[in-house]
Amino acid sequence: MLPAAEIGKAPAAPCCPESGNERKDVEEKNDINIAALFGNEQVSEDTDNGDLTSYVSAFIEKEVGNDLKSLKKLDKLIEQMTENKMQLEEQVLTISSEIPKRIQSALKNAEESKQFLNQFLEQETHLFSSINSHLLTAQPWMEDLGAMINQIEEIERHLAYLKWISQIEELSDNIQQYLMTNNVPEAASTLVSMVELDIKLQESSCAHLLAFTRATVKFWHKILKDKLTSDFEEVLAQLHWPFITPPQSQTVGLSRPAGAPEIYSNLETLFCQLLKLQTSDELLTEPKQLPEKYCLPASPSVILPIQIMLTPLQKRFRYHFRGNRQTNVISKPEWYLAQVLMWIGNHTQFLDEKIQPILDKVGPSVNARLEFSRGLMMLVLEKLAADIPCLLYDDNLFCHLVDEVLLFERELHSLYGYPSTFANCMHILSEDTCFQRWLTVERKFALQKMDSMLSSEAAWISQYKDITDVDEMKVPDCAETFMTLLLVITDRYKNLPTASRKLQFLELQKDLVDDFRIRLTQVMKEETRASLGFRYCAILNAVNYISTVLADWADNVFFLQLQQAALEVFAENNTLSKLQLGQLASMESSVFDDMINLLERLKHDMLTRQVDHVFREVKDAAKLYKKERRCGLGPSQVAVAAVAVGAGGDVPVQLGLPAAAHRERPLTPAGGAALLLLVHSLLAGACGEAGCVHLPRSKQERAAFRGPDGKGTCDANCSLFQIVLANHFNEGGAAQLQFDMTRNLFPLFSRYCKRPENYFKHVKEACIVLNLNIGSALLLKDVLQSASGQPPATEALNEVGIYKLAQQDVEILLNLRTNWPNTGK
């Protein structure tokens, strides 16, 4: 195809070609043909450089070359080039003929469009002048019509205003007529309709109409409320309301007095009529509210009939617990709290049996008992808000008030089902000034309690020391009292309304745990010299018990909820890293992790001191055992009939081992002394009064089996192996060593793990090597000498049960045997 530039130039003079142009066209066509043969890009580039001939020659050279047989391709090439030439000429002719026609058509369309545009412009000018002329003519009419429309709209507003007044007056007249005929129910229903109109007019800007409507509603509401209240109070008086005495001693109210059906029928009728006034009462009466600083939850006002039923009780409460009455004693909050609980209890049965069915018939989902309790609770909240500032800085009075309030809340929720979502005393205690004082007092008395429990004579003695099933952990009294203190604090603050307040108490608990840990550490340092003593073991048990209980608390639902709340707080304040936040969110960590880690570290340090102490004593005692000669004992020689250390007796029996354990061969004196010392040291905590059944097992396992390499190589194992290497053994000595280990030492530790010999692999395998019969020992020795470090040596060791000892150690042990036969070498 032709380049775009050339296609644009082709129609320049389609009808008047000149000789120069014809020559140019022929050259272009030749270029096109060559481009078809050699490639458009390369040929066009080369033709621009005037080197077409050389490229043609190169093409022929490529297609024909020096091979004469390739000349037969020339016909085919010429035919192909001719065909391409004809196709390109047809394309050029077609383009040259079509483009002028398209241009002419486009020009024609442009001329026609121009003519239409001119016509539209003329029409637009004519229409514009006509419209202006019409507007000028209609302007006076529009002004007159606008004035008339404004008058009509004003008249409509006046009519609507008059209609509202007429409706209100009509409703007012209806109420008056109903009251004149003593038809109170219809009057109350009509007042409800008037209240609905009042509510609809709230968005209106007609201030006078709103004031008129509200005044009318208020007028009739007061009349109806006074009349219904008077009748309702009269019915309640017939039932001897309120019930001051407990339900068991009530003769009226729940019983069936004379005319009971009529009284209860009137009660139901008046109650329902008063309920109709509920909307207007809420509209006209603003409920009493405490200051915003107490952050009470929003709640609707108590329904009107219950308000009337509460009136005599409110009067009694204000009479006795306000002013200068002797019953109004600021140091006795339990008086008015107990009075309120008693009133709720006295009226619960009547409310459930007589009032609740009325509410269920009417329809609204209202609980009569809860409405009654809400009304009395507001009296308590007002009293607390007035009294707390007066005793805020008297620690004893304030603490007493908090205790009584918490007891009141507990009974209110548990006995009478008062929901925690309603306004309660905890909202008053959560007020910032009061709450901070509460935290301060709580901390002060907790620290005093800690001082007294640690200074007590029975601080380190278990309360249940004589009851094994109850006192498995042998917890000292101070630790148990301290955890009880924390549990009591949890019960005191768990019903606080906000998570932020609960978290502040949680921080207080954590501070107390840390303070108690520091005190335990201080006492522990004084007892470091007697690391197996009574008080040291009691401290260790206390640390273990506190850590265990905190770990259990971490899985409690209440503390898991606090953990979620803490996660949100930490995320907002950016106080933790993303890793720590992720661990909290995934429950990998808990709110007590910091405290548990510190307690575990203290426990580890105390265990380490005990372990070191045990090893020092046992190693010193084992020096005599190491020096015993083991090359002169016969196979059945009895070294000592019985070992008497201290009180005397057979060592295996003293260790609690079976009697058969020492029938074949008794323990050597030095070995018995070392083992007895080990037993007395390790079991001092477990057998003593302060020992813990669970903790010493961990301690004794550490003492017996601890390994610095973490692979089962323990200190006792290494020490015993050094004892083995320091002696020579005949048959009797090797048998005695194996007896000491397998029938005395290993069973001693069997109470702490299932297979104790696995922690003494070096010693166990040394006993195997030393007790091999002569033939097997000779054969093993030859194999080790002939195949040093080779697989056959390893296989030979495995066959006799040697897996842990190195080949060099086995060779040393074989050389320690003195019972080799005389071979003349």
Side-chain angles (χ1 to χ4, degrees):
M1 295 182 66
L2 290 171
E6 296 181 0
I7 291 175
K9 296 176 183 178
C15 301
C16 309
E18 297 180 357
S19 59
N21 292 336
E22 289 178 357
R23 189 180 302 110
K24 185 176 180 181
D25 292 339
V26 172
E27 291 177 355
E28 290 176 352
K29 291 177 182 179
N30 290 335
D31 293 344
I32 292 171
N33 292 334
I34 297 302
L37 294 175
F38 306 120
N40 292 335
E41 182 179 355
Q42 182 179 358
V43 171
S44 61
E45 182 180 350
D46 295 338
T47 53
D48 291 342
N49 296 332
D51 201 9
L52 179 60
T53 305
S54 61
Y55 283 101
V56 172
S57 300
F59 173 73
I60 295 174
E61 182 68 23
K62 178 181 178 183
E63 296 292 333
V64 179
N66 297 328
D67 188 5
L68 297 177
K69 294 180 180 181
S70 300
L71 293 175
K72 61 183 180 181
K73 298 180 180 179
L74 292 177
D75 294 337
K76 187 176 182 180
L77 290 173
I78 292 172
E79 183 180 352
Q80 183 179 358
M81 292 173 62
T82 304
E83 183 179 355
N84 291 338
K85 178 181 177 183
M86 292 175 64
Q87 292 177 357
L88 293 172
E89 287 177 348
E90 290 177 0
Q91 293 178 6
V92 171
L93 292 175
T94 301
I95 293 173
S96 300
S97 61
E98 288 182 355
I99 288 179
K101 293 180 181 179
R102 294 180 180 178
I103 294 175
Q104 291 177 359
S105 177
L107 291 173
K108 183 178 179 181
N109 292 334
E111 290 293 337
E112 292 178 354
S113 300
K114 183 177 179 182
Q115 292 177 3
F116 282 119
L117 179 61
N118 291 331
Q119 293 177 3
F120 287 141
L121 291 175
E122 292 177 359
Q123 293 178 4
E124 187 270 340
T125 303
H126 178 69
L127 289 174
F128 182 75
S129 61
S130 299
I131 291 171
N132 287 335
S133 176
H134 179 74
L135 289 176
L136 291 174
T137 305
Q139 184 65 33
W141 300 348
M142 293 175 62
E143 293 177 356
D144 295 340
L145 184 61
M148 295 177 64
I149 291 173
N150 291 334
Q151 291 177 2
I152 292 173
E153 290 178 349
E154 185 177 358
I155 293 172
E156 288 179 347
R157 287 196 298 270
H158 291 168
L159 287 174
Y161 195 93
L162 292 174
K163 285 181 179 180
W164 282 105
I165 294 176
S166 176
Q167 283 182 311
I168 296 169
E169 290 181 344
E170 182 180 357
L171 293 174
S172 179
D173 293 340
N174 292 337
I175 294 174
Q176 184 177 6
Q177 293 177 4
Y178 289 137
L179 290 178
M180 291 175 64
T181 58
N182 203 24
N183 191 351
V184 179
E186 289 298 329
S189 300
T190 307
L191 179 61
V192 172
S193 301
M194 187 182 295
V195 172
E196 293 175 354
L197 292 180
D198 188 297
I199 295 173
K200 290 180 180 179
L201 288 172
Q202 292 303 311
E203 298 180 357
S204 175
S205 58
C206 301
H208 296 289
L209 179 61
L210 287 173
F212 171 72
T213 306
R214 181 62 55 84
T216 307
V217 170
K218 186 176 182 180
F219 174 79
W220 290 118
H221 173 79
K222 184 178 184 306
I223 293 176
L224 287 173
K225 182 179 179 181
D226 292 344
K227 178 174 179 55
L228 291 175
T229 299
S230 175
D231 296 342
F232 191 62
E233 289 176 345
E234 183 178 349
V235 172
L236 291 176
Q238 295 176 8
L239 296 173
H240 296 274
W241 179 275
F243 308 137
I244 306 303
T245 59
Q248 295 80 5
S249 58
Q250 294 175 11
T251 58
V252 188
L254 294 177
S255 59
R256 298 183 61 83
E262 182 180 357
I263 294 176
Y264 288 128
S265 176
N266 293 335
L267 177 70
E268 180 177 354
T269 301
L270 293 171
F271 196 95
C272 294
Q273 292 173 4
L274 284 169
L275 279 178
K276 293 181 179 180
L277 302 182
Q278 181 67 32
T279 306
S280 58
D281 190 72
E282 293 177 355
L283 189 67
L284 299 173
T285 306
E286 294 185 2
K288 294 182 179 180
Q289 293 183 350
L290 293 175
E292 294 182 357
K293 65 179 181 178
Y294 295 111
C295 299
L296 297 179
S299 60
S301 59
V302 179
I303 59 175
L304 184 57
I306 300 295
Q307 291 183 27
I308 298 172
M309 297 172 72
L310 286 169
T311 301
L313 296 176
Q314 292 171 345
K315 291 180 179 178
R316 287 173 176 269
F317 187 91
R318 295 188 179 97
Y319 177 83
H320 288 290
F321 305 114
R322 291 188 182 179
N324 299 323
R325 300 293 174 182
Q326 294 181 353
T327 50
N328 183 26
V329 182
I330 196 171
S331 61
K332 299 292 183 180
E334 61 270 23
W335 287 358
Y336 64 84
L337 295 175
Q339 184 65 68
V340 169
L341 286 175
M342 186 181 68
W343 284 344
I344 294 175
N346 292 346
H347 297 87
T348 294
Q349 186 176 355
F350 178 82
L351 293 170
D352 290 342
E353 295 179 0
K354 304 301 180 181
I355 304 300
Q356 190 61 46
I358 301 175
L359 289 172
D360 295 339
K361 289 180 182 179
V362 174
S365 55
V366 178
N367 188 300
R369 177 158 40 88
L370 292 182
E371 289 292 296
F372 186 79
S373 301
R374 278 207 302 140
L376 292 178
M377 179 58 69
M378 286 306 300
L379 296 174
V380 175
L381 299 184
E382 293 173 0
K383 177 65 175 173
L384 282 176
D387 285 356
I388 285 179
C390 301
L391 48 80
L392 198 59
Y393 298 101
D394 188 319
D395 291 348
N396 293 324
L397 290 181
F398 182 79
C399 188
H400 177 65
L401 172 68
V402 172
D403 291 339
E404 292 298 331
V405 167
L406 293 176
L407 181 61
F408 169 79
E409 284 286 325
R410 187 178 297 112
E411 293 186 12
L412 185 65
H413 293 300
S414 60
L415 296 180
Y416 304 110
Y418 189 83
S420 58
T421 55
F422 288 0
N424 55 62
C425 299
M426 303 306 289
H427 291 91
I428 304 297
L429 295 182
S430 296
E431 189 269 327
D432 190 60
T433 304
C434 179
F435 183 78
Q436 296 302 327
R437 187 61 185 167
W438 184 11
L439 279 178
T440 303
V441 172
E442 201 78 45
R443 184 188 303 273
K444 174 184 175 182
F445 283 98
L447 293 176
Q448 291 179 357
K449 183 67 175 178
M450 288 165 57
D451 291 336
S452 63
M453 70 176 69
L454 288 174
S455 60
S456 172
E457 296 181 356
W460 308 109
I461 301 174
S462 173
Q463 296 179 359
Y464 313 101
K465 60 181 179 179
D466 298 328
I467 309 175
T468 307
D469 295 339
V470 177
D471 194 31
E472 289 186 351
M473 300 184 73
K474 295 189 176 181
V475 183
D477 181 68
C478 63
E480 190 165 359
T481 306
F482 175 72
M483 295 311 295
T484 303
L485 173 65
L486 291 184
L487 186 61
V488 170
I489 292 176
T490 303
D491 290 336
R492 290 162 70 85
Y493 78 84
K494 68 187 307 181
N495 290 322
L496 284 170
T498 60
S500 60
R501 298 303 191 194
K502 296 177 184 178
L503 289 175
Q504 288 180 269
F505 257 103
L506 179 63
E507 289 300 319
L508 169 62
Q509 288 180 304
K510 293 167 68 174
D511 291 343
L512 293 177
V513 172
D514 193 52
D515 187 272
F516 193 73
R517 178 189 62 84
I518 294 173
R519 294 172 186 238
L520 290 178
T521 304
Q522 293 172 347
V523 179
M524 180 269 295
K525 291 180 179 179
E526 298 175 358
E527 304 293 330
T528 303
R529 293 184 179 180
S531 58
L532 293 178
F534 167 76
R535 182 172 290 189
Y536 192 94
C537 292
I539 296 171
L540 184 56
N541 291 339
V543 173
N544 179 65
Y545 173 71
I546 296 173
S547 176
T548 303
V549 173
L550 291 180
D552 292 339
W553 285 3
D555 297 328
N556 185 276
V557 175
F558 173 72
F559 289 107
L560 290 176
Q561 293 173 346
L562 284 187
Q563 180 173 342
Q564 182 62 31
L567 176 64
E568 297 174 359
V569 173
F570 293 149
E572 292 178 359
N573 299 334
N574 294 324
T575 55
L576 292 180
S577 65
K578 292 183 178 180
L579 176 60
Q580 292 172 319
L581 290 175
Q583 290 174 342
L584 279 176
S586 61
M587 301 300 174
E588 293 181 6
S589 60
S590 68
V591 291
F592 295 111
D593 269 7
D594 295 340
M595 296 298 100
I596 293 175
N597 292 336
L598 291 173
L599 291 168
E600 288 296 323
R601 186 182 305 171
L602 175 59
K603 183 171 72 174
H604 177 269
D605 293 342
M606 296 182 70
L607 289 173
T608 303
R609 288 190 179 92
Q610 289 186 326
V611 167
D612 294 340
H613 176 78
V614 171
F615 265 96
R616 283 195 302 268
E617 292 189 351
V618 174
K619 284 183 179 181
D620 292 340
K623 290 180 179 179
L624 295 177
Y625 185 74
K626 181 177 180 180
K627 295 179 180 179
E628 284 186 340
R629 302 288 295 175
R630 304 179 187 276
C631 59
L633 295 175
S636 60
Q637 181 179 354
V638 178
V640 177
V643 178
V645 178
D650 291 339
V651 172
V653 175
Q654 292 183 17
L655 301 182
L657 304 178
H662 64 284
R663 289 176 182 171
E664 299 176 0
R665 181 180 298 274
L667 188 63
T668 61
L675 278 181
L676 279 177
L677 179 58
L678 178 62
V679 170
H680 293 158
S681 299
L682 293 181
L683 302 185
C687 298
E689 292 183 356
C692 172
V693 173
H694 300 294
L695 182 60
R697 290 198 176 189
S698 171
K699 175 176 65 179
Q700 292 148 2
E701 279 191 45
R702 286 170 173 268
F705 309 134
R706 71 171 185 173
D709 57 359
K711 299 179 180 179
T713 302
C714 60
D715 290 351
N717 183 29
C718 297
S719 300
L720 290 173
F721 192 65
Q722 294 299 323
I723 291 176
V724 173
L725 296 180
N727 286 275
H728 288 77
F729 297 85
N730 64 357
E731 183 179 356
Q736 182 68 51
L737 176 65
Q738 186 169 17
F739 176 80
D740 292 347
M741 297 298 106
T742 60
R743 302 301 297 275
N744 292 281
L745 181 65
F746 295 168
L748 169 64
F749 294 102
S750 62
R751 64 180 296 179
Y752 310 123
C753 61
K754 292 182 179 180
R755 299 180 62 86
E757 62 272 13
N758 288 339
Y759 293 91
F760 296 90
K761 290 182 179 179
H762 288 76
V763 178
K764 175 185 175 183
E765 293 180 0
C767 291
I768 293 175
V769 174
L770 295 175
N771 285 278
L772 284 174
N773 58 54
I774 297 298
S776 299
L778 286 172
L779 181 59
L780 179 60
K781 188 173 184 180
D782 291 340
V783 172
L784 295 179
Q785 290 177 351
S786 61
S788 178
Q790 299 300 322
T794 304
E795 294 177 0
L797 292 174
N798 293 343
E799 287 179 1
V800 297
I802 308 300
Y803 299 95
K804 191 72 176 178
L805 288 177
Q807 180 177 336
Q808 295 82 353
D809 293 335
V810 176
E811 292 177 352
I812 294 173
L813 290 171
L814 290 174
N815 292 330
L816 294 178
R817 295 177 59 136
T818 61
N819 58 341
W820 296 110
N822 188 4
T823 59
K825 295 182 180 180

